[in-house]
Amino acid sequence: MGITTIQIQVVKPGWFSTVQDLGRYGYQQYGVPVAGAMDLFSATVANRLVGNADNAAVLELTLKGPELQFEGDTHIAITGADLTPTIGGTSTPQWKCVKISGDSRLCFGTAQAGARTYLAIAGGINVPLVLGSRSTHCVSELGGLKGRPLRRGDVLHAGQPLRSDDGLLGMRLPDRLVPRYEKSARLRIIPGPHQDLFSSTALATLTRSPYTITPASNRMGYRLAGPRIVTKGPRHFISDCTTIGALQIPADGQPILLMADRQTTGGYPTIAVVITADLPLAAQLAPGDTSTFSLITLAKAQAALREQRALLD
């Protein structure tokens, strides 16, 4: 007898809804971007609440969410930005494992706080592994559901749950750990690898005033507008490897904050890098929001990440 899987019909796709996991690692040397969820904290919490492995595929919903018709009973968790989710017209809580019955419709609205929501379904979203990951990278049409965002009429399939819903339903992230999303975020940074290419006052300029996320921003990177960062010496720069959180400075002096879909190499010098523990907050910023940067030591950055992971566990 075959295993029954849950089907989810895409009634409305939302503005930009993609299948993501924790990323496609080990292939940057071949020019393949990492991709993966922008907010790894929210994606991981969603998976843990429904008993999935951390790297199970989830849906990442951006600014305006989809309408999804479930065919079969299962349990889900919704984390990240508040897109006012409802099941059958009734508001449903976030950061909590809840049951959804067959023939129920899960609907999302527009963002009330934050920019990206994560939907985990028990068993994960069953799309093919491509180079070890189910993440969608739209520019290269790689992974996820045919390498693109959801469309009306698409059908998703959930995998086989690792655990029954006994003991999972009602499980929630403690309120003290639930992130609070604002229109402005303070992001901690450590110095980047190319300090010799910047003026002596460049880091002070970066940390003195807020920067606004411009509309020319996406999963690849945020273009920021604020005080100009001054470089010194020749403008030509040999391309170097990139990392998520890197603050690159192009010729116009306006920083670019690299995110999940970043290119594998870049030709702009990096003045600083946002610490890993603060990347989930950066992922929840939208065009028009602002960020301020504060400089900390590598040791403090490592301690912040250890603390975040310990709280998660």
Side-chain angles (χ1 to χ4, degrees):
M1 184 175 179
I3 296 174
T4 302
T5 60
I6 304 299
Q7 285 193 163
I8 303 101
Q9 300 275 349
V10 179
V11 181
K12 294 181 180 179
W15 282 353
F16 192 81
S17 305
T18 57
V19 177
Q20 301 292 343
D21 58 20
L22 299 187
R24 184 171 286 105
Y25 289 90
Y27 298 94
Q28 285 180 279
Q29 61 186 313
Y30 306 114
V32 180
V34 172
M38 290 273 280
D39 180 349
L40 295 180
F41 177 84
S42 293
T44 300
V45 170
N47 271 325
R48 292 189 182 188
L49 287 173
V50 297
N52 291 344
D54 288 355
N55 201 36
V58 299
L59 281 183
E60 180 181 272
L61 320 175
T62 307
L63 293 176
K64 182 179 174 64
E67 291 186 16
L68 305 171
Q69 183 74 35
F70 280 71
E71 298 181 1
D73 298 348
T74 188
H75 50 288
I76 63 172
I78 301 165
T79 61
D82 178 8
L83 296 188
T84 59
T86 60
I87 297 177
T90 301
S91 179
T92 190
Q94 296 191 207
W95 304 95
K96 182 179 181 179
C97 180
V98 298
K99 184 174 183 178
I100 185 166
S101 301
D103 297 325
S104 292
R105 185 167 295 189
L106 173 62
C107 299
F108 295 87
T110 54
Q112 304 301 303
R116 292 175 174 85
T117 296
Y118 294 85
L119 169 63
I121 303 167
I125 298 172
N126 190 11
V127 293
L129 279 170
V130 178
L131 299 178
S133 171
R134 293 181 169 86
S135 285
T136 308
H137 185 252
C138 293
V139 173
S140 61
E141 299 182 357
L142 192 71
L145 191 66
K146 301 178 182 178
R148 58 166 173 77
L150 298 188
R151 295 176 183 168
R152 184 191 301 269
D154 283 340
V155 178
L156 299 171
H157 297 268
Q160 184 67 16
L162 297 179
R163 295 174 57 183
S164 71
D165 59 12
D166 296 337
L168 288 174
L169 290 178
M171 183 183 294
R172 66 184 307 147
L173 188 71
D175 287 343
R176 66 186 178 86
L177 299 183
V178 174
R180 304 292 189 258
Y181 304 128
E182 306 289 346
K183 293 294 185 182
S184 179
R186 182 180 73 89
L187 304 176
R188 292 168 289 182
I189 57 174
I190 57 174
H194 306 130
Q195 294 302 306
D196 57 329
L197 298 179
F198 295 96
S199 70
S200 59
T201 60
L203 273 174
T205 300
L206 181 66
T207 56
R208 186 180 302 127
S209 302
Y211 284 81
T212 301
I213 289 84
T214 73
S217 300
N218 53 29
R219 280 179 45 89
M220 186 175 180
Y222 297 166
R223 287 190 174 271
L224 308 180
R228 184 173 181 271
I229 305 298
V230 178
T231 56
K232 64 179 182 181
R235 293 187 181 274
H236 299 293
F237 177 76
I238 298 174
S239 290
D240 200 357
C241 61
T242 63
T243 184
I244 190 169
L247 282 159
Q248 293 185 324
I249 308 298
D252 65 2
Q254 298 298 293
I256 300 172
L257 173 56
L258 298 186
M259 298 301 288
D261 283 357
R262 66 200 175 276
Q263 71 279 21
T264 56
T265 60
Y268 300 135
T270 298
I271 187 172
V273 181
V274 174
I275 71 170
T276 304
D278 285 357
L279 288 174
L281 281 179
Q284 293 295 342
L285 294 172
D289 293 345
T290 60
S291 63
T292 56
F293 300 103
S294 60
L295 191 64
I296 65 170
T297 65
L298 177 60
K300 288 184 177 179
Q302 293 169 333
L305 182 59
R306 285 195 297 267
E307 180 183 8
Q308 185 182 79
R309 290 182 173 173
L311 289 172
L312 193 60
D313 290 340

